[in-house]
Amino acid sequence: MRERSRPRGRREGGGGGGRNAGGAASPPRTERRGAPAAGGGRRMEEGAADLRQRRKQNCTESDKMAPEERHKENSKLGRSPKYMLIQRFAKLFFGCLAAVTSGMMYAVYLSTYHERKFWFSSRQELEREITFQGDSAIYYSFYKELLKAPSFERGVYELTHNNKTVSMKTINAVQQMTLYPELIASVLYQASGSEEVIEPVYFYIGIVFGLQGIYVTALFVTSWVMSGTWLAGMLTVAWFIINRTDTTRIDYSIPSRENWALPYFACQVAALTGYLKKNLNCSAEKFCYLLVSASTYTFMMMWEYSHYLLFVQAVSLFLLDSFALAQSEKVHEVYKIYMFSLFLGYLLQFENSALLVSPLLSLVAALMLSKYLQMNVKKGTFMSRLLKIMYIYLVLTVTLTLNLLLKMFVPHKENEHLLKFLEIKLGLNTTKNFTMNWLLCQESLQAPSQDFFLRLTQSSLLPFYILVLIICLFSVTQVVFRRICGEPLKETVKLEDGRIGERPEIVYHVIHTILLGSLAMCLEGMKYLWTPYVCMLAAFGVCSPELWMTLFKWLRLKAVHPILLALILSMAVPTIIGFSLWKEFFPRIMTELSELQEFYDPDTVELMTWIKRQAPVAAVFAGSPQLMGVIKLCTGWMVSSLPLYNDDDLLKRNENIYQIYSKRSAEDIYKILTSYKANFLIIEDSICNEVGPVRGCRVKDLLDIANGHVVCEEGDSYAYSKYGRFCHEIKMNYSPYVNYFTRVYWNRSYFVYRINTVISFQS
């Protein structure tokens, strides 16, 4: 019995890894039995150390094995390693050159188009500034204030303690309006010594156009990394530019936060695509990891809604990890990047509580907790199997619970109007509130029109995207079923395998584009996030031999060699698409750049000139929020409201001041305006006499609904009040309106009234 037990003991201790990597014998089993109390902790430490060792070992093995495999393949083909090295370098060099050139040409194209549209170089400063409308005017006005400040530190202090923009309100403009892009632009303008070389407005829009060039370059690289050919990147750029109406809002809203932020998100997606790839060498993996970290944090600092988009990305990674289609360690490293970026953003954004109660933080915390439970439960037990089955349910439950707890204990004003808006949008509630109904009437918050899909179809983008998405989705579904049946993933997927759904970066993009597409089908404004990745995914698909090979595997082609046909189609199809796009759309683009458009608003120019010459310096103006933004930029005068929709107090101000277009008495309007210390009132004829395509979405209609001035008879709605519409009645110049307001200026579009401080009641 003793002789038989010894060999069995050797098999248990040594056959399963009894010697470590250095070749030393493993410790005897009697030593582990001697300390049962500390056995669990020691096994956890050994497991963690073994995991780290395996990761390092796998990384070094992939670095060593890749050259050997390439050498064997080259020897079979009769090619020398030196020849292959030169070929790879040439491919990389020309691909990078094409990517950078595409980005630079797109930036030049935007600059040329902007000049042709607004005649920027031939206009005065006031006329240039009028081209910034709404919230864009506010952002650029703070950039001007930073440049006028005696020092950068003083300028930042005035922005964080700003009491010269909105009457009776001191705001931290840097935090509330996310002015980090303006801070960076002003620092670069002053530090680079550009004051004597270029005007501030050209420097500002030049940075934004340059970022758009980086945006296009990042999409190029993403498609290139996924397909293996930079032909896909060229096709991505072509589709992006042709569908510019649906891929970007740069044409009419240059300073908007998304134009500053989305280029960094595109860089993050490109780096994440490379990071998720299998058999990646250590140096490339570290580079991708650092780029993901830097771009994620920068993206979060540039846009107040960035954490919502990152939440969608985190859900995509969660689903990718749930089906074991990617290396779990890599996915959880990305979760750590999210966590680090959230807390660093919280500290540097003046303790922004919106980041603490964001769904992204709750989801990442739940995922990391679930991972910890899985690692500390012994494999093969009933509990470990139960955790695998209940993993998704556990993560969702913990996420919701944690988010509710955070909102209970963390004081926040985290865009409550957004939650109310979603309730009404989904049909869960109804309201007569002016602000909610006004938001629902905005074009960007409605479902996309048929013209949107027609434009994508005319450029051949939508048909190819649907084809690529269906093939990838079916392939991913096959892989998921194989994983459920216990079949492991292949370490390296070859072209002849026809399994494009086993590549983790492809699966991630399929899930991500489906989630973004679902949002875009509900809100048209989301198309600017979805359509660029539609261009990228469609271009990758038609240029990828693996996608064609996957299709041919299903069709079981025998007449033609499937690998040869896949290689031919991956070159021929994008070439044909490129030539057809060139023939149809290139003349249109050149026509856009050659014809001179005219943007001139003499009435607004006259109004701004009168304010700068005639209005007192301490005057406060009241009117529509969009006009107030332009007044703040062009004149610097204080206003009573701003076109911003992330602050409850400003939303309430906007609703109250919009009452000048309602059926309220002169006394009511006077009390509202004087409560905000307003000195001048501006009536816009375009709002007062608005004739919109949808009657219920005009400002005056929404005000009548909110004020209860709508009477329904036999299916028709009528506005009724004992007072006439204020914006009409005040123009008549009769009592009691002349007692409260005195007209001081007017033109075809605007009527300016001084709000009387002493009321004289005359018949």
Side-chain angles (χ1 to χ4, degrees):
M1 293 293 292
R2 186 175 300 171
E3 292 177 356
R4 291 182 181 177
S5 63
R6 287 176 183 172
R8 186 165 60 248
R10 283 195 299 272
R11 282 196 301 271
E12 292 172 357
R19 291 183 178 273
N20 55 23
S26 62
R29 294 177 63 87
T30 54
E31 292 183 11
R32 286 198 294 266
R33 289 179 186 142
R42 187 177 300 171
R43 280 196 297 272
M44 288 171 55
E45 294 177 0
E46 290 176 358
D50 183 52
L51 177 62
R52 289 192 296 268
Q53 184 67 24
R54 282 203 309 271
R55 288 183 64 190
K56 293 180 181 179
Q57 187 176 355
N58 292 338
C59 191
T60 54
E61 284 178 358
S62 64
D63 286 345
K64 293 178 181 178
M65 289 174 62
E68 293 177 2
E69 293 176 356
R70 287 194 299 268
H71 180 69
K72 291 179 181 178
E73 184 180 353
N74 296 337
S75 61
K76 291 179 181 178
L77 297 173
R79 299 172 179 173
S80 64
K82 185 176 181 181
Y83 171 80
M84 291 300 298
L85 182 64
I86 294 175
Q87 187 181 28
R88 290 185 62 201
F89 176 77
K91 181 181 178 181
L92 181 64
F93 173 77
F94 285 110
C96 293
L97 183 63
V100 174
T101 303
S102 299
M104 293 177 62
M105 290 183 65
Y106 180 63
V108 172
Y109 164 74
L110 288 178
S111 179
T112 306
Y113 179 77
H114 183 263
E115 172 64 27
R116 291 288 183 177
K117 183 177 181 180
F118 296 109
W119 296 10
F120 228 57
S121 59
S122 60
R123 295 194 180 278
Q124 300 296 323
E125 182 180 7
L126 177 60
E127 296 173 344
R128 293 174 183 172
E129 291 176 349
I130 287 175
T131 62
F132 297 109
Q133 298 289 322
D135 58 345
S136 298
I138 293 297
Y139 295 130
Y140 185 74
S141 70
F142 288 119
Y143 168 72
K144 280 181 58 179
E145 290 185 12
L146 280 168
L147 295 181
K148 292 178 181 179
S151 66
F152 177 75
E153 294 79 7
R154 182 63 186 175
V156 173
Y157 177 82
E158 290 179 354
L159 289 184
T160 54
H161 302 78
N162 187 281
N163 58 0
K164 298 179 180 179
T165 299
V166 184
S167 61
M168 301 178 62
K169 188 176 179 67
T170 299
I171 59 175
N172 184 343
V174 177
Q175 177 189 7
Q176 190 164 344
M177 303 178 193
T178 320
L179 296 181
Y180 297 97
E182 282 67 33
L183 296 178
I184 295 172
S186 63
V187 168
L188 291 176
Y189 184 74
Q190 294 173 338
S192 61
S194 302
E195 293 92 337
E196 300 177 358
V197 180
I198 188 173
E199 295 180 50
V201 64
Y202 281 110
F203 187 84
Y204 185 87
I205 64 176
I207 292 179
V208 180
F209 291 157
L211 286 174
Q212 299 307 302
I214 295 175
Y215 191 3
V216 165
T217 301
L219 293 174
F220 183 110
V221 172
T222 305
S223 187
W224 179 17
V225 169
M226 293 171 64
S227 64
T229 172
W230 48 268
L231 186 62
M234 299 291 290
L235 187 56
T236 300
V237 175
W239 265 328
F240 183 92
I241 296 176
I242 290 170
N243 295 280
R244 193 184 73 254
T245 306
D246 303 306
T247 56
T248 177
R249 288 198 290 191
I250 191 68
D251 287 356
Y252 52 88
S253 183
I254 292 177
S256 67
R257 301 301 85 180
E258 62 193 62
N259 290 333
W260 285 89
L262 290 181
Y264 295 102
F265 183 68
C267 292
Q268 190 251 26
V269 170
L272 183 61
T273 303
Y275 184 67
L276 291 175
K277 286 177 70 71
K278 295 180 180 178
N279 302 322
L280 197 66
N281 61 63
C282 277
S283 57
E285 184 176 323
K286 290 179 181 177
F287 173 76
C288 291
Y289 177 82
L290 292 175
L291 185 56
V292 170
S293 304
S295 54
T296 300
Y297 172 70
T298 308
F299 173 60
M300 192 170 292
M301 295 293 291
M302 292 290 172
W303 195 19
E304 65 267 29
Y305 300 120
S306 58
H307 55 91
Y308 292 112
L309 187 54
L310 290 175
F311 171 73
V312 176
Q313 186 183 69
V315 172
S316 305
L317 293 173
F318 161 58
L319 295 175
L320 180 69
D321 187 35
S322 299
F323 296 113
L325 299 177
Q327 297 181 26
S328 183
E329 293 81 7
K330 287 187 175 182
V331 175
H332 283 269
E333 286 297 325
V334 179
Y335 294 157
K336 293 177 184 177
I337 293 174
Y338 291 150
M339 190 72 74
F340 175 77
S341 300
L342 281 169
F343 281 110
L344 191 60
Y346 169 76
L347 295 176
L348 296 182
Q349 291 183 10
F350 305 92
E351 299 183 356
N352 186 5
S353 59
L355 297 180
L356 293 183
V357 298
S358 68
L360 176 63
L361 179 61
S362 302
L363 176 62
V364 171
L367 289 168
M368 297 182 75
L369 177 62
S370 302
K371 180 68 174 179
Y372 175 79
L373 292 176
Q374 284 186 332
M375 290 181 62
N376 287 274
V377 174
K378 188 176 180 180
K379 293 183 178 180
T381 62
F382 173 76
M383 184 59 69
S384 67
R385 293 172 183 170
L386 184 63
L387 278 176
K388 284 186 177 180
I389 296 173
M390 303 292 291
Y391 179 67
I392 296 178
Y393 175 77
L394 176 65
V395 169
L396 295 178
T397 304
V398 174
T399 300
L400 292 174
T401 305
L402 185 59
N403 192 254
L404 290 175
L405 290 175
L406 286 172
K407 288 184 176 180
M408 286 175 59
F409 293 103
V410 176
H412 69 285
K413 295 181 179 178
E414 199 263 329
N415 300 322
E416 295 180 0
H417 61 282
L418 289 179
L419 299 178
K420 296 178 182 177
F421 168 77
L422 290 176
E423 288 182 4
I424 301 169
K425 182 70 177 178
L426 297 174
L428 302 176
N429 198 356
T430 58
T431 183
K432 292 184 178 180
N433 181 267
F434 169 79
T435 301
M436 291 296 105
N437 288 326
W438 185 83
L439 290 174
L440 286 169
C441 286
Q442 299 304 300
E443 184 179 355
S444 60
L445 297 178
Q446 296 180 359
S449 62
Q450 294 181 354
D451 294 338
F452 166 61
F453 300 103
L454 182 61
R455 288 192 297 268
L456 297 187
T457 304
Q458 288 175 343
S459 64
S460 72
L461 174 60
L462 190 60
F464 282 106
Y465 167 74
I466 294 174
L467 173 65
V468 172
L469 184 63
I470 290 174
I471 296 174
C472 291
L473 195 58
F474 272 104
S475 182
V476 170
T477 306
Q478 284 184 334
V479 175
V480 170
F481 276 112
R482 292 193 193 105
R483 294 293 292 151
I484 293 175
C485 296
E487 182 180 337
L489 294 174
K490 289 189 175 183
E491 287 294 327
T492 56
V493 180
K494 298 180 181 179
L495 177 59
E496 56 267 21
D497 295 332
R499 292 187 178 185
I500 198 168
E502 288 194 8
R503 291 176 55 185
E505 70 275 17
I506 305 300
V507 182
Y508 157 72
H509 279 287
V510 169
I511 299 173
H512 196 196
T513 191
I514 290 175
L515 294 178
L516 289 178
S518 302
L519 294 174
M521 295 304 103
C522 300
L523 305 172
E524 186 170 1
M526 294 297 295
K527 70 180 182 181
Y528 300 108
L529 304 177
W530 178 58
T531 313
Y533 296 98
V534 171
C535 300
M536 181 269 299
L537 192 68
F540 139 75
V542 298
C543 297
S544 173
E546 291 181 66
L547 183 129
W548 294 110
M549 191 64 200
T550 302
L551 178 61
F552 297 153
K553 274 284 185 178
W554 296 339
L555 299 177
R556 297 181 180 180
L557 288 181
K558 295 181 179 179
V560 183
H561 197 285
I563 296 180
L564 179 61
L565 185 59
L567 291 172
I568 293 174
L569 287 179
S570 65
M571 294 292 292
V573 173
T575 303
I576 295 172
I577 295 173
F579 275 117
S580 64
L581 294 178
W582 177 278
K583 183 179 179 180
E584 182 175 357
F585 293 97
F586 182 74
R588 299 183 189 180
I589 293 175
M590 297 308 297
T591 302
E592 284 183 352
L593 296 180
S594 60
E595 66 180 3
L596 290 173
Q597 304 181 37
E598 185 176 1
F599 177 86
Y600 188 56
D601 190 356
D603 293 341
T604 305
V605 172
E606 292 174 4
L607 174 64
M608 300 303 154
T609 304
W610 179 87
I611 292 174
K612 294 174 74 173
R613 292 177 179 176
Q614 302 294 331
V617 177
V620 177
F621 284 84
S624 70
Q626 288 72 23
L627 180 61
M628 295 301 101
V630 178
I631 289 177
K632 175 59 184 173
L633 168 60
C634 298
T635 67
W637 265 246
M638 190 178 294
V639 295
S640 57
S641 60
L642 290 176
L644 299 173
Y645 310 105
N646 57 358
D647 182 84
D648 292 336
D649 180 61
L650 287 176
L651 287 173
K652 188 63 178 176
R653 281 175 176 248
N654 294 345
E655 181 178 353
N656 289 337
I657 294 176
Y658 263 130
Q659 296 296 326
I660 60 179
Y661 301 104
S662 68
K663 294 189 173 185
R664 300 277 294 270
S665 66
E667 184 179 1
D668 290 344
I669 302 300
Y670 181 82
K671 289 179 179 179
I672 291 173
L673 297 176
T674 53
S675 67
Y676 296 120
K677 304 296 183 183
N679 305 115
F680 290 90
L681 167 65
I682 303 178
I683 300 290
E684 296 176 64
D685 200 55
S686 60
I687 300 178
C688 188
N689 298 318
E690 182 180 6
V691 182
V694 183
R695 183 181 178 186
C697 279
R698 297 180 299 181
V699 169
K700 52 187 178 182
D701 296 335
L702 297 175
L703 289 168
D704 292 340
I705 294 172
N707 295 334
H709 294 159
V710 175
V711 178
C712 298
E713 294 181 0
E714 299 180 358
D716 295 327
S717 299
Y718 303 95
Y720 173 78
S721 173
K722 65 178 182 179
Y723 301 106
R725 196 166 302 280
F726 177 83
C727 61
H728 289 153
E729 299 296 324
I730 195 175
K731 297 176 185 177
M732 303 299 179
N733 288 328
Y734 62 80
S735 182
Y737 295 93
V738 294
N739 302 330
Y740 296 101
F741 308 97
T742 302
R743 188 167 64 186
V744 292
Y745 173 80
W746 71 94
N747 59 29
R748 291 177 300 177
S749 302
Y750 303 102
F751 294 81
V752 183
Y753 296 87
R754 185 178 64 247
I755 302 172
N756 299 331
T757 54
V758 179
I759 305 173
S760 59
F761 290 94
Q762 300 175 359
S763 58

